Amino acid sequence: MELKITVDRSKCSGHARCAMKGPDVYELDDEGFCISDGKIVTDESLRTQVIHGMKACPERAISVIEA
Ligand code: F3S
């Protein structure tokens, strides 16, 4: 099953917690903002990182849907 990540760039404040909880999923730009908007994850082994990274964002900038 695929998971699609959406990042609301207007909410992202660069807390980087997504990347701490999901280092193999979430990427940050040079200023620490998440650039994984639109990313599709197919690897089942990364599923936990996707969800934990989403939940770790204090701004609720990340949403995940099953694609
Ligand atoms: Fe941004 Fe939230 Fe990650 S503020 S850098 S999406 S923890």
Side-chain angles (χ1 to χ4, degrees), residues 7 9 26-29 33-39:
V7 181
R9 300 273 301 203
Y26 295 96
E27 291 177 74
L28 307 178
D29 67 14
F33 294 94
C34 185
I35 53 170
S36 296
D37 185 42
K39 183 168 184 170

Side-chain angles (χ1 to χ4, degrees), residues 23-49:
D24 302 316
V25 173
Y26 295 96
E27 291 177 74
L28 307 178
D29 67 14
D30 290 343
E31 295 175 333
F33 294 94
C34 185
I35 53 170
S36 296
D37 185 42
K39 183 168 184 170
I40 296 192
V41 177
T42 55
D43 188 338
E44 283 288 323
S45 69
L46 294 178
R47 204 177 169 84
T48 304
Q49 287 197 36

Side-chain angles (χ1 to χ4, degrees), residues 3 8 11 19 24 36 54 60:
L3 296 177
D8 185 337
K11 288 184 181 173
D24 302 316
S36 296
M54 172 192 74
R60 300 256 181 272

Side-chain angles (χ1 to χ4, degrees), residues 7 11-18 28 32-34 56-59 61-62:
V7 181
K11 288 184 181 173
C12 176
S13 307
H15 290 290
R17 293 190 197 170
C18 53
L28 307 178
F33 294 94
C34 185
C57 178
E59 306 295 338
I62 301 171

